[in-house]
């Protein structure tokens, strides 16, 4: 696989006529569609590998050029699907992450794996399952003990996941290109960090963009204001939650995940949803509640 996001800022998917879902934004020296694809849910299609490959290709054909994955998604299955789905003519930024290993019996199905040797092993595992010698961006759960692989040419750029504002500030000299934290219209504890990323030219890539991933987390689709806006626009509450993120800050890149083709199309259609000032004001007024989820 050669499509690892190492080309210039004019990079496009193979189908140059495809729309750019959500417009465009910068990521690690490239220009990518603001709506990408988070591949975690591909594991649900383990029994139908052809469907999983077809779903990734469907995303690429609709202008997605930013895939988010990890070796611990399906213990390599998701990476292998991406490897099979990408074609030689595709030019896709594949972003992976390290710092955790599967923990099926735990309250959160991951456990920390942050020792230097574990980080290195995770990067090497990602390289093998993706079938490449370089990953465009690797997100680390912390940066104080790095694997040293960027200097070896195996990592194009570094991002951070589940980081505090203090941790991000200390990491800025390492040229961080993106931050992945839990963030949504109902969970905006990291607003100041989002502002710091905007000022520093760092992409903000929210996970749990609709909340509700765990029982204690608030759900965007449960909010009355979200339903009111959705009804007025003729779209779904989930689409409103994603559209708000795109409108909220220009450095937001979305990576909504799904295993369903129709849901994929609905996610990509979010880029065309216009929110007027009154709708934005109503959504901004939604009470923010903590979405803190940690490993270990």
């Amino acid at each position: 696989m050669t499509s690892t996001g190492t080309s210039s800022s004019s990079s496009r998917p193979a189908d140059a006529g495809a729309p750019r879902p959500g417009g465009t934004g910068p990521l690690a020296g490239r220009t990518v569609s603001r709506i990408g694809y988070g591949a975690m849910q591909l594991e649900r299609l383990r029994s139908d590998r052809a469907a999983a490959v077809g779903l990734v290709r469907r995303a690429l054909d609709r202008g997605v050029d930013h895939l988010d994955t990890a070796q611990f998604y399906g213990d390599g299955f998701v990476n292998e699907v991406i490897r099979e789905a990408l074609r030689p003519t595709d030019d896709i930024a594949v972003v992976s992450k390290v710092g955790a290993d599967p923990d099926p019996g735990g309250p959160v199905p991951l456990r920390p794996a942050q020792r230097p040797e574990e980080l290195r092993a995770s990067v090497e595992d990602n390289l093998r399952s993706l079938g490449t010698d370089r990953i465009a961006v690797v997100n680390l759960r912390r940066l104080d003990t790095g694997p040293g692989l960027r200097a070896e040419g195996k990592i194009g750029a570094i991002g951070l996941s589940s980081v505090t504002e203090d941790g991000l500030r200390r990491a800025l000299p390492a040229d961080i290109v993106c931050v992945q934290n839990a963030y949504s219209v109902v969970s905006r504890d990291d607003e100041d960090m989002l502002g710091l990323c905007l000022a520093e030219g760092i992409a903000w890539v929210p996970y749990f963009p609709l909340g509700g991933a765990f029982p204690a987390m608030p759900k965007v689709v449960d909010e009355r204001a979200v339903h009111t806006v959705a009804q007025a626009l003729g779209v779904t509450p989930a689409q409103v939650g994603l559209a708000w993120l795109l409108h909220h800050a220009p450095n937001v890149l979305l990576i909504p995940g799904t295993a369903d083709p129709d849901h994929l199309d609905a996610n990509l259609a979010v880029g065309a949803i216009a929110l007027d000032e009154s709708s934005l004001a109503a959504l901004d007024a939604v009470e923010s509640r903590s979405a803190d989820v940690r490993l270990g």
Side-chain angles (χ1 to χ4, degrees):
M1 182 185 72
T2 59
S3 302
T4 54
T6 58
S7 57
S8 70
S9 60
S10 62
S11 302
R12 292 295 308 272
D15 180 1
R20 307 300 294 269
T24 60
L27 177 66
R30 332 169 22 111
T31 298
V32 298
S33 300
R34 290 185 69 197
I35 304 178
Y37 176 68
M40 182 173 65
Q41 293 193 42
L42 284 176
E43 184 181 2
R44 292 165 52 192
L45 297 173
R46 183 182 288 274
S47 63
D48 191 348
R49 189 184 187 95
V53 171
L55 187 66
V56 175
R57 288 183 177 163
R58 184 184 186 94
L60 304 185
D61 290 343
R62 283 156 175 75
V64 167
D65 55 6
H66 166 211
L67 301 178
D68 182 86
T69 186
Q71 171 65 21
F72 52 77
Y73 290 170
D75 196 19
F77 171 78
V78 169
N79 278 0
E80 292 168 4
V81 166
I82 291 173
R83 176 180 182 173
E84 185 175 341
L86 290 181
R87 297 153 293 201
T89 54
D90 290 326
D91 186 13
I92 307 301
V94 177
V95 178
S96 194
K97 61 184 67 66
V98 297
D101 283 337
D103 185 21
V108 176
L110 296 173
R111 62 171 180 81
Q114 300 179 346
R115 295 193 302 271
E117 65 273 18
E118 291 175 315
L119 294 175
R120 173 175 286 276
S122 292
V123 170
E124 297 287 359
D125 286 345
N126 275 282
L127 290 169
R128 280 192 293 272
S129 56
L130 287 168
T132 187
D133 57 6
R134 181 179 173 89
I135 301 171
V137 181
V138 171
N139 286 314
L140 308 178
R141 294 193 64 85
R142 68 180 194 182
L143 200 65
D144 54 333
T145 54
L149 289 165
R150 182 165 57 174
E152 299 175 24
K154 297 180 179 182
I155 294 174
I158 294 175
L160 294 176
S161 178
S162 301
V163 66
T164 63
E165 184 176 350
D166 179 65
L168 174 59
R169 289 186 183 278
R170 289 187 287 111
L172 288 177
D175 296 325
I176 302 303
V177 300
C178 64
V179 166
Q180 286 192 3
N181 274 21
Y183 184 84
S184 71
V185 69
V186 295
S187 300
R188 304 189 302 275
D189 290 351
D190 288 336
E191 196 69 27
D192 289 344
M193 196 176 350
L194 170 56
L196 174 61
C197 287
L198 180 59
E200 296 290 336
I202 297 170
W204 183 259
V205 189
Y207 63 81
F208 303 153
L210 297 175
F214 296 92
M217 293 179 67
K219 297 181 180 180
V220 171
V221 296
D222 288 343
E223 292 297 322
R224 178 176 298 178
V226 173
H227 279 264
T228 299
V229 172
Q231 185 174 13
L233 295 176
V235 298
T236 68
Q239 287 179 308
V240 168
L242 296 176
W244 177 85
L245 288 164
L246 289 177
H247 283 76
H248 188 61
N251 61 326
V252 168
L253 301 179
L254 297 182
I255 49 169
T258 181
D260 180 81
D262 291 337
H263 191 196
L264 171 68
D265 291 348
N267 289 340
L268 297 182
V270 164
I273 295 175
L275 298 177
D276 60 23
E277 291 186 8
S278 63
S279 295
L280 287 172
L283 296 171
D284 289 345
V286 170
E287 179 188 2
S288 174
R289 285 95 78 193
S290 175
D292 187 34
V293 176
R294 299 184 182 277
L295 300 181

